[in-house]
Amino acid sequence: MTQTEKKQETVRLPGFGIPALLPYLKPYRALLFVMIACGLAGTVADLAIPFFQRYALDHFIGERTTDTLFSFVLFYVLVLLFQTGVNFTSTFLAAKVEQRVGRDLRRASFDHLQTLSFSYFNQNSVGYIHARVMSDTARIGELVSWSLMDGVWHLSYVIGAIVVMFRLNARLALLVCAVLPFAFVLILLFQKKLTGFHRKIREINSRITGNFNEGITGAKTIKTLVIEEKMSEDFRTDSSEMRRTAVRAAHSHAMLWAIITFASSLALSLVLWQGGKLTMENAMLLGTLSVFTSYAMGIMEPVQWIVDALSSLINAQVNIERLIGLIRTESDVADTPEVVERYGDAFSPKKENWEPLVGDIEFDDVTFRYPDGEETILDHFSLKIPHGSSIAIVGETGAGKSTLVNLVCRFFEPTKGRILIDGRDARERSQLWLHSNIGYVLQTPHLFSGTVAENLRYGNPEATDEELWQALERVSAAEVVRRMDKGLESEVGEGGDLLSTGEKQLLSFARALLADPRILVLDEATASVDSITEDRIQRAIREITEGRTSLVIAHRLSTIRSSDLILVVDGGKIVERGTHTELMAQNGPYHALYTRQFEEEGTERVFKEKAKGGETPAPAL
Amino acid sequence: MKKETRTKTKGKLKLVRRFLSGSARWFLLSAFLALFTSFAEMLTPQIVRFTVDGVIGGETEGLSSAALAVADRFGGVAAVRERFWLIPLAILAAALLAVGSRYLFRLSNSLGAETLVKRMRDTLFSHIEHLPFSFHRKNQTGDIIQRCTSDVDTVKNFLAEQLTQVFRIVTLLVLSLSFMFSMNAKLSVIALCSVPILFFYSLLFHRKISASFRECDETEGKLSAITQENLTGVRVVRAFGRESFEQKRFAEQNEKYASLWVRLSAVFSFYWGSTDLIAGIQVMLIVLFGAKFVLSGEMLSGEYIAFISYNAMLTWPVRMLGRMIANLSKATVALDRIAYIANTPEERDEPDAGTPDLRGDIVFDHVSFGYEGKDELLSDLSLTIPAGSTLGILGGTGSGKSTIAALLDRLYPLEEGKGRITIGGTDIKKIQSKWLRQNIGFVLQEPFLFSRSLKENIGITRRDPTEEEIRRAASIACFEETADSFADGFDTFVGERGVTLSGGQKQRAAIARTLMSETPILIFDDSTSALDAETDAKIRAALREKLRGTTVILITHRVQTVMHADRIIVLDRGRIAEEGTHETLSAGNGVYAELCRLQGEKGGAE
């Protein structure tokens, strides 16, 4: 069930994935148009600048006159200002497009994730999805702005320079162009090599981080086994490989630049050779020669940038495919159009049409298999849970206790059969309607970064401070919050990390209580907490299950014994069902499980009671 | 105060020196090559100048003497004009020189940089492994990793890339300026005007912008955290039906992040645009005044063209220089963060610590201990474990039972006056920690397996373990069959990037790993807790068979695990509450007896 990555969702897209991105670029058509236009205008200015030098050489110096000096300066300054203006506009617009497209893609993927079913989250790790939302979007944003801009700038410069050179002198222009293809092929070759090295460097880098992680989290083991030297030695193998690869990458990079520089010099020498001759024969003016030398020197570097933009386009395809794959993944738990019509969707509910929920749950001949699993987990399973009753689900860790809960919450749909809520098929009403009536308390309580109040209001956004305190009071958590420096406004840290597990547990109870759900799902914690907190948790559980239909994945004997019905799960399937007394009499898996639980809880109790007794001397008999 | 910062700076410098050993020579070489490269790059404009003025223009005055000297070797200016192909050849030769030395510069620089970063990483890793265990207890993993990765990169970038670049930039600046001055001093002064403007502008800009960068980073961090929390808390989000709330929360932060960047980009675009403009105006002034000087006869056309080329070399380095100086503070902060680790002293043995035979009795003599800043966990504990016997320690959570083992392995040193621990009469303080730990096999409560194959994990303490030895250890730990049941057998890759083992499988693998080195002392710290009673019993029976003569300490809360021990103590909040054998204790009416009843162990032997 908890397999990571792979599966479906890697789509293949034509045209490097660009067509699939078009809808996201459409709102910025105008911006992109202006950006490209300014880019082209910038190139024109770049190409124009050498002509001032030419004019100065041929007119001022060649003809020994300064008659046009004023208009020369004026024109020069105007071109400079024009260049600055269009360059500013194009770079700023590129940044804007980058950010806006990135933002839209992030938002689209995040919103879509809110509607995807749990099978998606089971198949893809959090890290994988996170990378799609945060890095792929950034990469695509960069592609459609900066890479595009680079392409436009440098391609237009190369083309523009070639055109101008041909107009000035075709023979010299041909000489410069002859160098270009060679340079292009060589640059392509080394760029490709470089990309390979960079990939490898990233790989080794993550291995090195992994090594550090292992060396630190495993410090105790490493010390007790006295393998510090071995670990350091193994680390050095990786860091040496890193050094080797990085140096090779640097070599490729240096070669790349050497090629560009040398190609420039080659073009320059050709121009000077032929152009010099022409100038000596007075067939060409000195200024024209100087324009040629400028272009010959300047034309090689843009080639490298064109290659760079091309390789970004190719490399970004995988990012586009993964992101579009996410956005196009369809949820396998979806409300029908009729249901959405009547009850609204996840983002805009039509609460006026919502019926109140009573809390009767019925499994009606349900057969279930996880979408990515092979095995049938429930086979024609039927069970009626009248409202207000309590169900305990027990079994070994990893036995598949959450399946029933997943079905009741509609995190998954039955493969066959129906689940009835208050006598009607769950699919007849919206997911949000059901979820708004379900309270959910996790074994590892999940809090969001923010204040205590914000977390509590997650259960009920409209709750007043007073109601928050009431809820805290009822689950015996008021004291905990009062002790914090800012009370309800205290920060809980990322994932609630500033609180202890027990405190998080209590706050998540209060949160569930505020939601005032008709159905309560509770995954009891197994983690050991101190005895005072333990007592509080016990009381809180009794408080919040009171008067609600409750499904408890149970670990505590008190919960188990007093449940209306106990379901025993093993290997994903329900192997026994009945009340505590009935099941104990059967002497089956439940009996074994209960005995062990009894033993463990008893052992801790014996140690604790002994500890209490140790304080006061035993009364003399 | 002042003195403190001085010693701190000194400590940092010492650290930099330590890291630089091995790479310093590459950096020296690259500095030399940088100088040579810059010089070679100065040649081309000179050739162009000579071509335009001497060869094409036919001037005889105002040519550089060096160029004339070279031309004379080929028969003088006139001869060169006849054989004009000499010019492009000269340009190619100069280019080859420049390209070649620049290539070598980059290569030696990268060799230096990578040697440096490797040394930093190696030093830090090995240092971390040798730090006292209390360091790991005190510091968060994520923080330490960040110091060892991104801070190392920052320092490397600064020392290796930027610092050598600075050197290259300065030489380029000095050389091009001196060439310019040699041609025309007045024009050079005009060119020089823009240097301080660009430099201070760029310096100020990069100083100012760093705060905005931090703000962007923080916003991104928050956005990333919202995504992370939404994904890990997907069940809570759905179960409370708060999709639209999450959507709004994300959208707000997303918007904030994007607009911050757009604003920052506007500032950046302005900076680039304005510096380009300054540079452009400077070029214009050179073109203009240059032309004037040529007209007035102070300069030749070729000189003019060459001068413009040199001038173009000025702008980029000056801008870079400002940026680098602004980055200096970033590198200093990163270095501080690394120094925090590197300057924490490693675990050290006392100078007279030895390697005695550890087959003796273990004695805890009035030992008291508490973790730093916490209450005392063990109080005045005295205990003797005769060599070759088995001791069972039974206790609840927080009774201090694991601490006994950690102290014996000297993971934490005992404070002066808080008792002592001896093995065979030698205080463990006087035993080399390496020797001590090599002689104590310690199976931890939470087994940690490394990202390697099972075979490598089990044999990790040995240089070249044979397959047979590994199988033997695995079979005692009841792990052989389990390992064979995997598709790749003992070659199965485990850990973070491999197969996930269950708690019980991990524990058995850890036991096998410890058994690979035959130590005179063995500690099992709750290391069979995830195993069923049957497997637990089987492993202990196999151990009893194999490990005659070994001193064994069993720590647990299960009666079954310790009942066959030679002696059993029940620990309660750092004190021995009960002591005896299974027979004596189970016959009494203490905690042990109650646990026996509860856990269904009736006393008696097998």
mmCIF file of all heavy atoms in Angstrom, chain A residues 111-131:
data_model
loop_
_atom_site.group_PDB
_atom_site.id
_atom_site.type_symbol
_atom_site.label_atom_id
_atom_site.label_comp_id
_atom_site.label_asym_id
_atom_site.label_seq_id
_atom_site.Cartn_x
_atom_site.Cartn_y
_atom_site.Cartn_z
ATOM 1 N N ASP A 111 -3.961 23.157 -5.815
ATOM 2 C CA ASP A 111 -5.416 23.021 -5.761
ATOM 3 C C ASP A 111 -5.850 21.652 -6.244
ATOM 4 O O ASP A 111 -6.748 21.042 -5.674
ATOM 5 C CB ASP A 111 -6.080 24.105 -6.616
ATOM 6 C CG ASP A 111 -5.982 25.466 -5.949
ATOM 7 O OD1 ASP A 111 -5.423 25.523 -4.839
ATOM 8 O OD2 ASP A 111 -6.449 26.456 -6.527
ATOM 9 N N HIS A 112 -5.186 21.180 -7.285
ATOM 10 C CA HIS A 112 -5.584 19.871 -7.798
ATOM 11 C C HIS A 112 -5.289 18.780 -6.766
ATOM 12 O O HIS A 112 -6.062 17.842 -6.617
ATOM 13 C CB HIS A 112 -4.853 19.572 -9.104
ATOM 14 C CG HIS A 112 -5.348 18.338 -9.778
ATOM 15 N ND1 HIS A 112 -6.617 18.246 -10.308
ATOM 16 C CD2 HIS A 112 -4.782 17.124 -9.947
ATOM 17 C CE1 HIS A 112 -6.793 17.040 -10.797
ATOM 18 N NE2 HIS A 112 -5.696 16.341 -10.595
ATOM 19 N N LEU A 113 -4.197 18.934 -6.056
ATOM 20 C CA LEU A 113 -3.848 17.947 -5.029
ATOM 21 C C LEU A 113 -4.942 17.851 -3.963
ATOM 22 O O LEU A 113 -5.151 16.790 -3.370
ATOM 23 C CB LEU A 113 -2.524 18.319 -4.363
ATOM 24 C CG LEU A 113 -1.275 17.966 -5.155
ATOM 25 C CD1 LEU A 113 -0.053 18.589 -4.513
ATOM 26 C CD2 LEU A 113 -1.116 16.460 -5.225
ATOM 27 N N GLN A 114 -5.626 18.965 -3.711
ATOM 28 C CA GLN A 114 -6.679 18.954 -2.693
ATOM 29 C C GLN A 114 -7.855 18.071 -3.101
ATOM 30 O O GLN A 114 -8.671 17.703 -2.272
ATOM 31 C CB GLN A 114 -7.201 20.366 -2.410
ATOM 32 C CG GLN A 114 -6.133 21.377 -2.032
ATOM 33 C CD GLN A 114 -5.214 20.901 -0.939
ATOM 34 O OE1 GLN A 114 -5.652 20.478 0.119
ATOM 35 N NE2 GLN A 114 -3.918 20.929 -1.194
ATOM 36 N N THR A 115 -7.943 17.761 -4.392
ATOM 37 C CA THR A 115 -9.079 16.955 -4.832
ATOM 38 C C THR A 115 -8.676 15.514 -5.128
ATOM 39 O O THR A 115 -9.528 14.684 -5.380
ATOM 40 C CB THR A 115 -9.701 17.544 -6.120
ATOM 41 O OG1 THR A 115 -8.736 17.421 -7.171
ATOM 42 C CG2 THR A 115 -10.066 19.009 -5.939
ATOM 43 N N LEU A 116 -7.376 15.239 -5.107
ATOM 44 C CA LEU A 116 -6.948 13.882 -5.452
ATOM 45 C C LEU A 116 -7.244 12.906 -4.315
ATOM 46 O O LEU A 116 -7.233 13.279 -3.146
ATOM 47 C CB LEU A 116 -5.461 13.862 -5.770
ATOM 48 C CG LEU A 116 -5.096 14.341 -7.173
ATOM 49 C CD1 LEU A 116 -3.602 14.247 -7.390
ATOM 50 C CD2 LEU A 116 -5.833 13.514 -8.221
ATOM 51 N N SER A 117 -7.479 11.660 -4.697
ATOM 52 C CA SER A 117 -7.840 10.664 -3.683
ATOM 53 C C SER A 117 -6.602 10.103 -2.998
ATOM 54 O O SER A 117 -5.477 10.341 -3.411
ATOM 55 C CB SER A 117 -8.619 9.546 -4.337
ATOM 56 O OG SER A 117 -7.791 8.928 -5.288
ATOM 57 N N PHE A 118 -6.855 9.329 -1.960
ATOM 58 C CA PHE A 118 -5.743 8.835 -1.148
ATOM 59 C C PHE A 118 -4.859 7.843 -1.855
ATOM 60 O O PHE A 118 -3.716 7.669 -1.476
ATOM 61 C CB PHE A 118 -6.274 8.233 0.146
ATOM 62 C CG PHE A 118 -6.506 9.287 1.155
ATOM 63 C CD1 PHE A 118 -7.524 10.196 0.962
ATOM 64 C CD2 PHE A 118 -5.689 9.416 2.245
ATOM 65 C CE1 PHE A 118 -7.717 11.214 1.860
ATOM 66 C CE2 PHE A 118 -5.884 10.427 3.144
ATOM 67 C CZ PHE A 118 -6.899 11.328 2.964
ATOM 68 N N SER A 119 -5.402 7.178 -2.876
ATOM 69 C CA SER A 119 -4.528 6.225 -3.558
ATOM 70 C C SER A 119 -3.347 6.974 -4.170
ATOM 71 O O SER A 119 -2.239 6.451 -4.211
ATOM 72 C CB SER A 119 -5.299 5.453 -4.625
ATOM 73 O OG SER A 119 -5.989 6.333 -5.463
ATOM 74 N N TYR A 120 -3.563 8.223 -4.582
ATOM 75 C CA TYR A 120 -2.457 9.003 -5.129
ATOM 76 C C TYR A 120 -1.391 9.250 -4.060
ATOM 77 O O TYR A 120 -0.197 9.112 -4.299
ATOM 78 C CB TYR A 120 -2.960 10.340 -5.673
ATOM 79 C CG TYR A 120 -1.874 11.155 -6.328
ATOM 80 C CD1 TYR A 120 -1.503 10.902 -7.642
ATOM 81 C CD2 TYR A 120 -1.193 12.141 -5.630
ATOM 82 C CE1 TYR A 120 -0.497 11.618 -8.246
ATOM 83 C CE2 TYR A 120 -0.171 12.866 -6.230
ATOM 84 C CZ TYR A 120 0.163 12.595 -7.538
ATOM 85 O OH TYR A 120 1.179 13.300 -8.129
ATOM 86 N N PHE A 121 -1.850 9.580 -2.863
ATOM 87 C CA PHE A 121 -0.889 9.887 -1.792
ATOM 88 C C PHE A 121 -0.204 8.633 -1.270
ATOM 89 O O PHE A 121 0.883 8.702 -0.724
ATOM 90 C CB PHE A 121 -1.594 10.635 -0.662
ATOM 91 C CG PHE A 121 -2.063 11.990 -1.087
ATOM 92 C CD1 PHE A 121 -3.357 12.187 -1.528
ATOM 93 C CD2 PHE A 121 -1.190 13.057 -1.104
ATOM 94 C CE1 PHE A 121 -3.779 13.435 -1.951
ATOM 95 C CE2 PHE A 121 -1.596 14.308 -1.527
ATOM 96 C CZ PHE A 121 -2.895 14.500 -1.959
ATOM 97 N N ASN A 122 -0.862 7.498 -1.440
ATOM 98 C CA ASN A 122 -0.203 6.267 -1.031
ATOM 99 C C ASN A 122 0.860 5.843 -2.024
ATOM 100 O O ASN A 122 1.844 5.221 -1.660
ATOM 101 C CB ASN A 122 -1.232 5.144 -0.875
ATOM 102 C CG ASN A 122 -2.032 5.299 0.402
ATOM 103 O OD1 ASN A 122 -1.594 5.987 1.326
ATOM 104 N ND2 ASN A 122 -3.193 4.698 0.450
ATOM 105 N N GLN A 123 0.620 6.189 -3.298
ATOM 106 C CA GLN A 123 1.565 5.746 -4.320
ATOM 107 C C GLN A 123 2.736 6.691 -4.491
ATOM 108 O O GLN A 123 3.764 6.312 -5.026
ATOM 109 C CB GLN A 123 0.840 5.607 -5.667
ATOM 110 C CG GLN A 123 0.034 4.335 -5.763
ATOM 111 C CD GLN A 123 -1.050 4.456 -6.809
ATOM 112 O OE1 GLN A 123 -0.927 5.223 -7.745
ATOM 113 N NE2 GLN A 123 -2.105 3.699 -6.628
ATOM 114 N N ASN A 124 2.575 7.939 -4.072
ATOM 115 C CA ASN A 124 3.642 8.912 -4.274
ATOM 116 C C ASN A 124 4.083 9.492 -2.937
ATOM 117 O O ASN A 124 3.255 9.937 -2.158
ATOM 118 C CB ASN A 124 3.161 10.040 -5.180
ATOM 119 C CG ASN A 124 2.757 9.520 -6.546
ATOM 120 O OD1 ASN A 124 3.601 9.207 -7.378
ATOM 121 N ND2 ASN A 124 1.463 9.385 -6.753
ATOM 122 N N SER A 125 5.381 9.482 -2.717
ATOM 123 C CA SER A 125 5.861 9.973 -1.424
ATOM 124 C C SER A 125 5.680 11.492 -1.338
ATOM 125 O O SER A 125 5.595 12.172 -2.358
ATOM 126 C CB SER A 125 7.332 9.624 -1.256
ATOM 127 O OG SER A 125 8.095 10.397 -2.145
ATOM 128 N N VAL A 126 5.626 11.976 -0.115
ATOM 129 C CA VAL A 126 5.473 13.409 0.116
ATOM 130 C C VAL A 126 6.599 14.185 -0.572
ATOM 131 O O VAL A 126 6.366 15.192 -1.224
ATOM 132 C CB VAL A 126 5.458 13.717 1.634
ATOM 133 C CG1 VAL A 126 5.600 15.207 1.871
ATOM 134 C CG2 VAL A 126 4.176 13.209 2.249
ATOM 135 N N GLY A 127 7.823 13.672 -0.450
ATOM 136 C CA GLY A 127 8.969 14.342 -1.060
ATOM 137 C C GLY A 127 8.797 14.468 -2.565
ATOM 138 O O GLY A 127 9.110 15.497 -3.158
ATOM 139 N N TYR A 128 8.276 13.415 -3.184
ATOM 140 C CA TYR A 128 8.093 13.414 -4.637
ATOM 141 C C TYR A 128 7.068 14.476 -5.040
ATOM 142 O O TYR A 128 7.314 15.291 -5.928
ATOM 143 C CB TYR A 128 7.646 12.023 -5.089
ATOM 144 C CG TYR A 128 7.370 11.927 -6.572
ATOM 145 C CD1 TYR A 128 8.419 11.741 -7.470
ATOM 146 C CD2 TYR A 128 6.077 12.018 -7.070
ATOM 147 C CE1 TYR A 128 8.186 11.659 -8.823
ATOM 148 C CE2 TYR A 128 5.829 11.944 -8.422
ATOM 149 C CZ TYR A 128 6.884 11.758 -9.302
ATOM 150 O OH TYR A 128 6.643 11.687 -10.628
ATOM 151 N N ILE A 129 5.929 14.479 -4.353
ATOM 152 C CA ILE A 129 4.882 15.443 -4.707
ATOM 153 C C ILE A 129 5.361 16.864 -4.433
ATOM 154 O O ILE A 129 5.158 17.781 -5.219
ATOM 155 C CB ILE A 129 3.588 15.172 -3.903
ATOM 156 C CG1 ILE A 129 3.148 13.713 -4.090
ATOM 157 C CG2 ILE A 129 2.476 16.092 -4.357
ATOM 158 C CD1 ILE A 129 1.970 13.317 -3.233
ATOM 159 N N HIS A 130 6.033 17.024 -3.308
ATOM 160 C CA HIS A 130 6.543 18.338 -2.914
ATOM 161 C C HIS A 130 7.466 18.900 -3.993
ATOM 162 O O HIS A 130 7.382 20.076 -4.354
ATOM 163 C CB HIS A 130 7.278 18.203 -1.586
ATOM 164 C CG HIS A 130 7.656 19.513 -0.972
ATOM 165 N ND1 HIS A 130 8.885 20.088 -1.171
ATOM 166 C CD2 HIS A 130 6.967 20.360 -0.183
ATOM 167 C CE1 HIS A 130 8.938 21.235 -0.520
ATOM 168 N NE2 HIS A 130 7.795 21.432 0.085
ATOM 169 N N ALA A 131 8.318 18.048 -4.528
ATOM 170 C CA ALA A 131 9.244 18.488 -5.564
ATOM 171 C C ALA A 131 8.494 18.929 -6.819
ATOM 172 O O ALA A 131 8.908 19.852 -7.503
ATOM 173 C CB ALA A 131 10.236 17.381 -5.907
#
